[in-house]
Amino acid sequence: MHHIGSPIDSHPTDQLLSLYSRLRRLTGKKTMLGHQDTTLCRRMHECDSDVATLTGAYPAIWGFDLGRIELDWGKNIDDVSFAHIHQEVLHANNIGAIPTLTWHSVNPVTGGGYGSNIAPGSVRAVLPGGDCHGRFLDWLDRVATMLNSLTDDDNLPIPVVFRPFHEHNGTWFWWSLGSPMQATDTSEEEFRQLWRMSIDYLRNSCGIHHVLYAYSPDRSRIDLTNETAMTEEYLYGYPGDDYVDVLGIDDYWDMDQHPSSKSPTKQHEELITMLTLVGRLAEERGKLAAATEIGSPGAFASRLNNGRDGEDLYDSRPWTGYLLSALEANQFTTRMLWCLPWRNSLEAEGTGAYGTPSADSPYAQDFIDFAGNQRIVVVKESTKSPADE
């Protein structure tokens, strides 16, 4: 049985235990700034990361994507080579930052990628007895090969957080089971089987023991109007405490992609409600907690503190006034160990999916203040140790 205060892996490497105890120590005290592809996708060129260019420090959590590793491609879904990802995982580890991995895999039945990823029966097809079961195990072998190759200069495994089958309560990925609002043809039990089968295979057949596993539903599919429904919807398809180390949430909805009927004040309250739920469940279940993906707070969030909702008056404090205040709202929101904005890609610029501000953004100074806040953990290149004690 899994015990509170240890990873779910019953044979964790020393490196994984060390990462886990570090995260335990930080819980309730600090929140690490994360960023997807921080050194792999940038707009400014003074440093190798936009976060470093603006703040003089790196994020403490570095996100990477394994999408296309399943096809044995040399590059991932975002056209970044796996060799480069490999190098940057080592870079992150060397300066005391923590790598976290997502996996935007193609559909195992149709081969369709992002945007055409859905087909009926996809999850059933990869479960034992399904037509694509063998193919999917081959995919997991390739993921395992990549995970096993992540070693430091002393050839020791670099511990990582792996976030498979993310946003499973949506309707946009082949593994989706949807939500009570809108279900797919995948049942809760099938999703749980997929998750457990994958983690069991990585651990037992591939010998992967340096990974923490994060669960991350999508906020937009969770109804916050009543406590019972909210908890049920968050845990819809939850694979069980023996298969999850980190309770996460992917929340773009409360940052920017909001129904126009809602004011920033109302949306901010809902962000706090969502983070409170994740933090409370994590405490109850002895889990770590994180805002595993988060939209970039911008114009909408900026309106929170000027007292005149709905008018285009900005106080230019979306990071500190909106996001940080939510992270500090109560004993449960403070359990968020990190928040990770997405990559700084040109095509997402101006949307809530865009990552961190550039120097010419009206929110640049506020982002600098956010990164410099005593609650927020960032990492200096030279220190070789995290600024988290």
Side-chain angles (χ1 to χ4, degrees), residues 22 56-61 95-97 377-381 383-387:
R22 176 179 160 194
Y58 286 94
I61 299 275
I95 64 170
V377 181
V378 290
V379 186
K380 292 274 200 262
E381 174 80 74
T383 57
K384 291 274 182 183
S385 69

Side-chain angles (χ1 to χ4, degrees), residues 10 89 127 210 292:
S10 51
V89 166
L127 293 176
H210 59 295
T292 39

Side-chain angles (χ1 to χ4, degrees), residues 135-247:
R135 174 182 303 164
F136 189 69
L137 296 186
D138 288 343
W139 288 11
L140 289 173
D141 284 331
R142 287 172 183 155
V143 168
T145 299
M146 178 70 174
L147 290 171
N148 268 325
S149 74
L150 302 176
T151 53
D152 65 15
D153 295 328
D154 299 318
N155 213 27
L156 296 167
I158 294 172
V160 299
V161 178
F162 184 33
R163 192 162 64 90
F165 313 123
H166 65 296
E167 300 171 11
H168 66 283
N169 60 336
T171 48
W172 43 88
F173 296 129
W174 68 260
W175 55 84
S176 299
L177 65 124
S179 65
M181 300 181 198
Q182 184 186 1
T184 66
D185 74 318
T186 298
S187 71
E188 277 195 276
E189 194 41 52
E190 285 164 343
F191 179 78
R192 289 190 197 105
Q193 275 183 290
L194 169 68
W195 183 289
R196 293 171 188 161
M197 172 186 85
S198 302
I199 277 68
D200 283 339
Y201 187 81
L202 289 172
R203 289 192 301 207
N204 305 337
S205 301
C206 305
I208 299 291
H209 298 294
H210 59 295
V211 173
L212 297 177
Y213 296 93
Y215 170 81
S216 57
D218 190 82
R219 151 70 177 105
S220 70
R221 294 301 192 268
I222 298 172
D223 176 5
L224 301 186
T225 50
N226 97 55
E227 188 81 24
T228 315
M230 187 164 85
T231 306
E232 278 173 12
E233 288 178 17
Y234 178 79
L235 294 171
Y236 188 65
Y238 181 64
D241 287 346
D242 288 347
Y243 285 89
V244 173
D245 292 293
V246 181
L247 294 186

